[in-house]
């Protein structure tokens, strides 16, 4: 045993008769099992029992005693003596070898496959409960008095190592203030208030919990292997652990659903966000309604804060993205902190009115609520005539020809299997993607028809040369300089946070736009070395003068470039892998998902930089 003095325990065993002596292995397992059921022991104590967080109860409850007698083959006397000797060890939470805990899990799982009892004292592998036995409402309740009203309900918990397991959740009810305490949160006044931190098991439905370790595994698969929620679910259900999940008299189907994985991913992100930002307060959600709507407001708040403040690694610096250059004349050293910006063609369904940022009511819609009247107009760009009945174009024969052409084209198109795409796929192929059909009228003017839905144009990423992504922004309609400038100013709004150099493949246009903007006075705007050599004309005097990376001698260290200015292109390979996963997502989930993927990848990169000796840290602004 770890950190446990067993000498007093062994001395107590001398009280047993020779036929009741307990092997050391049984002693250790007695401690691990009673520690696992500590809360059940407390809840089942009579009202007159005296105990607290430091002082254990004098006696075990009948259900725990019966279970220990069966599993460990002990007599009543042995159980009583062992509890008397070990109760302080159990109550203080000292640890034991992991292999013993694994054996406990195996016995508990086997017992649930063929239980002898189904009463209030049955013990299961998963036993969830509130973190305390007293009411936390210290305004209207006596916090010193233990809550007496407890109720257990059956649950199913999905785990990484053991598949789906049956279990129980205990809830406590405070009659004084009418607060109900569950394992993850308390409910009062129609609102769920999470306790803080991240529990080992996260509730995603009334009787359904997912193990935190399993959710982390799913999230890592999404971030590193571009695995969709649907495919994470399918692989888990096909795993050997799930094939052995069958328990008598348990009223649940042991099949994980994709909405459970999606909600667990979101809840884990929200709870971790509260841990990283304690000033925001505990996570609070409405108690009523469907889970997907219950989470919506919390996602929107996190999304808004992420867009306003940036990623947690916004102030990141290390030896690969920032250098301090000493002044040869003896003056103060100069800091050079660089960033690289680029766009990735990923988007979500958006309003078909060019540049409109208002969210859609549903990803299947073509227009937002403000522009809903356009739904009855001809889909030909620039035409405001009403559609004819049964068609999506007006009576103009040239416009009708475009629609007929698309319908014939759709019959020949083989769409990808829907089970490889995530979330709300549409049934109508003509509306499942953006379709532009161009042609020329008899008068020679071009005719363009937008027959499908519009998607946002791209995602702009701001990346440090070391690979850490510090910000993301969605461009609508086009990658316009105005949207890019707004992104930069929003990201580096704090004085002193702006980098000395921002590499961008269209900096020649950007530099012309901001040449009189004081915000960019001390920011160099070079073009990436590769782009400058291959995609920028030598005859462009402004670009050669203001955006040539060779015009900034500080970016050179002898014959080498100080920073990897192609890192955004390399990052885009990873980021672009989410295209098929999130293309049909509702905008709030889309933003939450991508920000969470970036945050997870940043953690891995920062740890890699630390192991490489790059000394990752955060800039402290004065």
């Amino acid at each position: 045993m770890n950190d446990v003095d067993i000498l007093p325990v062994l001395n107590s065993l001398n009280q047993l008769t020779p036929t009741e002596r307990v092997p050391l292995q049984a002693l250790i397992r007695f401690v691990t099992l009673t520690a696992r059921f500590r809360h059940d022991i407390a809840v089942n104590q009579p009202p007159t029992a005296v105990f607290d967080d430091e002082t254990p109860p004098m006696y075990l409850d009948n259900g725990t005693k019966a279970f220990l007698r069966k599993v460990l083959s002990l007599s009543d006397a042995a159980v009583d003596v062992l509890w008397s000797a070990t109760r302080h060890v159990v109550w203080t939470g000292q640890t034991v070898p992991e292999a013993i805990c694994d054996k406990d899990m195996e016995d508990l799982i086997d017992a649930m496959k063929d239980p002898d009892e189904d009463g209030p004292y049955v013990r299961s592998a998963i036993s969830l409960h509130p973190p305390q036995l007293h009411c936390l409402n210290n305004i209207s309740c006596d916090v010193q008095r233990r809550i007496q009203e407890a109720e257990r309900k059956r649950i199913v918990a999905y785990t990484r190592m053991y598949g789906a397991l049956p279990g129980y959740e205990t809830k406590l009810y405070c009659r004084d203030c009418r607060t109900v305490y569950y394992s993850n949160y308390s409910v009062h006044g129609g609102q769920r208030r999470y306790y803080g931190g991240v529990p080992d098991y996260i509730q995603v439905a009334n009787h359904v919990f997912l193990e935190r370790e399993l959710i982390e595994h799913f999230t890592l698969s999404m971030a590193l292997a571009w695995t969709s929620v649907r495919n994470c679910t399918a692989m888990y259900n096909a795993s050997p652990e799930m094939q052995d999940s069958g328990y008598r008299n348990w009223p649940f189907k042991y099949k994980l659903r994709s909405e459970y994985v999606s909600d667990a991913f979101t809840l884990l992100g929200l709870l971790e966000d509260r841990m990283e930002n304690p000033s925001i307060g505990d996570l609070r959600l409405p108690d009523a309604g469907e889970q997907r709507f219950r989470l919506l407001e919390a996602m929107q708040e996190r999304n808004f804060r992420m867009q306003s403040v940036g990623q947690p690694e916004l102030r990141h610096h290390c030896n690969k993205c920032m250098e301090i250059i000493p002044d040869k004349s003896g003056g103060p050293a100069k800091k050079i902190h660089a960033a690289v910006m680029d766009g990735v063609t990923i988007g979500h369904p958006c309003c078909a009115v060019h540049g409109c940022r208002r969210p859609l009511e549903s990803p299947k819609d073509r227009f937002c609520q403000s522009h809903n009247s356009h739904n009855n107009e001809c889909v030909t760009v620039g035409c405001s005539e009403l559609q004819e009945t049964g068609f999506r174009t007006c009576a103009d024969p040239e416009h009708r020809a475009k629609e007929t052409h698309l319908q014939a084209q759709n019959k020949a198109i083989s769409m990808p299997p829907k089970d490889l795409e995530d979330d709300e796929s549409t049934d109508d192929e003509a509306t499942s993607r953006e379709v532009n059909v161009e042609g020329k009228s008899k008068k020679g003017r071009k005719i363009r028809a937008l027959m499908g839905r519009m998607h946002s144009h791209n995602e702009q990423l701001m990346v440090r040369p070391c690979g850490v992504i510090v910000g993301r922004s969605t461009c609508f309609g086009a990658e316009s300089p105005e949207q890019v400038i707004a992104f930069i100013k929003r990201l580096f709004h704090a004085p002193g946070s702006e980098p000395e150099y921002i590499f961008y493949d269209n900096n020649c246009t950007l530099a012309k736009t901001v040449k009189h903007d004081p915000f960019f006075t001390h920011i160099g705007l070079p073009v990436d070395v590769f782009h400058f050599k291959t995609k920028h004309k030598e005859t462009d005097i402004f670009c050669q003068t203001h955006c040539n990376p060779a015009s900034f001698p500080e970016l050179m260290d002898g014959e080498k470039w100080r920073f990897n200015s192609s890192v955004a292109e390399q990052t885009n390979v990873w980021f672009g892998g989410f295209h098929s996963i999130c293309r049909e997502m509702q905008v709030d989930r889309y933003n939450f998902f991508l920000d969470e993927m970036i945050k997870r990848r940043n953690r891995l990169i920062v740890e890699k930089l630390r192991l490489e000796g790059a000394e990752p840290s955060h800039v402290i602004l004065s």
Side-chain angles (χ1 to χ4, degrees), residues 501-516:
Y501 292 95
I502 297 177
F503 292 89
Y504 178 46
D505 56 8
N506 196 25
N507 259 344
C508 46
T509 301
L510 183 65
K512 291 178 183 177
T513 308
V514 303
K515 61 182 177 180
H516 300 302

Side-chain angles (χ1 to χ4, degrees), residues 269-282 301-302 305-306 309-310 312 599:
L270 291 173
L271 291 170
E272 288 186 344
D273 177 61
R274 290 314 199 269
M275 289 179 61
E276 296 165 359
N277 302 278
S279 61
I280 300 171
D282 298 330
E301 186 276 330
R302 208 294 289 266
R305 185 159 29 86
M306 190 71 78
V309 180
K599 188 165 73 170

Side-chain angles (χ1 to χ4, degrees), residues 538-575:
E538 295 183 2
T539 55
D540 189 338
I541 304 301
F542 184 90
C543 180
Q544 293 290 330
T545 305
H546 296 87
C547 302
N548 186 345
S551 301
F552 303 93
E554 294 173 337
L555 297 177
M556 297 289 293
D557 183 12
E559 298 297 322
K560 299 189 303 181
W561 296 101
R562 292 186 185 275
F563 303 113
N564 177 16
S565 61
S566 298
V567 68
E569 298 287 347
Q570 299 159 5
T571 304
N572 289 353
V573 174
W574 167 77
F575 197 71

Side-chain angles (χ1 to χ4, degrees), residues 5 136 156 212 220 242 244 294 314 384 405 474 536:
D5 183 6
L136 298 177
V156 58
R212 178 182 180 179
L220 199 61
M242 283 294 288
D244 192 35
R294 181 183 293 124
L314 175 62
S384 57
H405 171 74
T474 304
H536 290 258

Side-chain angles (χ1 to χ4, degrees), residues 60-263:
L60 286 174
D61 64 283
N62 292 333
T64 303
K65 286 182 66 174
F67 176 80
L68 293 171
R69 287 198 307 268
K70 175 185 176 182
V71 172
L72 301 180
S73 301
L74 298 175
S75 65
D76 268 341
V79 171
D80 290 337
V81 171
L82 284 175
W83 177 247
S84 177
T86 65
R87 62 193 183 100
H88 288 282
V89 172
V90 171
W91 223 244
T92 54
Q94 296 182 16
T95 57
V96 294
E98 186 175 348
I100 303 297
C101 294
D102 291 342
K103 176 60 178 171
D104 292 344
M105 282 292 291
E106 293 171 5
D107 285 345
L108 288 164
I109 292 170
D110 290 340
M112 290 304 297
K113 288 182 178 178
D114 189 22
D116 293 335
E117 57 176 338
D118 194 26
Y121 300 125
V122 67
R123 297 293 176 258
S124 62
I126 306 297
S127 180
L128 307 180
H129 46 75
Q132 78 293 318
L133 298 173
H134 301 83
C135 184
L136 298 177
N137 188 352
N138 56 8
I139 298 177
S140 59
C141 292
D142 181 1
V143 295
Q144 301 302 319
R145 189 176 65 212
R146 178 161 49 95
I147 299 177
Q148 298 296 330
E149 295 192 35
E151 180 183 332
R152 292 207 306 171
K153 68 177 182 181
R154 291 175 171 182
I155 62 168
V156 58
Y158 294 94
T159 69
R160 184 179 180 188
M161 296 295 296
Y162 303 102
L165 295 178
Y168 287 95
E169 182 191 29
T170 300
K171 71 175 183 179
L172 302 176
Y173 175 68
C174 178
R175 184 172 292 276
D176 293 335
C177 67
R178 299 182 180 180
T179 301
V180 184
Y181 293 93
Y182 297 90
S183 59
N184 286 183
Y185 53 83
S186 62
V187 177
H188 181 75
Q191 186 181 62
R192 294 183 178 182
R193 180 175 180 177
Y194 285 76
Y195 300 120
V198 181
D200 292 334
Y201 293 87
I202 294 179
Q203 184 178 9
V204 295
N206 189 26
H207 296 274
V208 181
F209 290 76
L210 266 70
E211 186 183 35
R212 178 182 180 179
E213 185 178 343
L214 176 64
I215 305 171
E216 293 278 7
H217 174 71
F218 286 150
T219 304
L220 199 61
S221 296
M222 297 175 197
L224 298 184
W226 306 289
T227 310
S228 70
V229 165
R230 189 169 301 173
N231 288 338
C232 282
T233 306
M235 287 190 293
Y236 181 79
N237 285 329
S239 66
E241 292 78 15
M242 283 294 288
Q243 307 312 309
D244 192 35
S245 295
Y247 303 91
R248 185 169 65 85
N249 297 329
W250 219 252
F252 305 111
K253 293 182 179 179
Y254 294 97
K255 184 177 181 181
L256 187 61
R257 296 164 59 177
S258 53
E259 58 263 35
Y260 295 159
V261 177
S262 177
D263 291 342

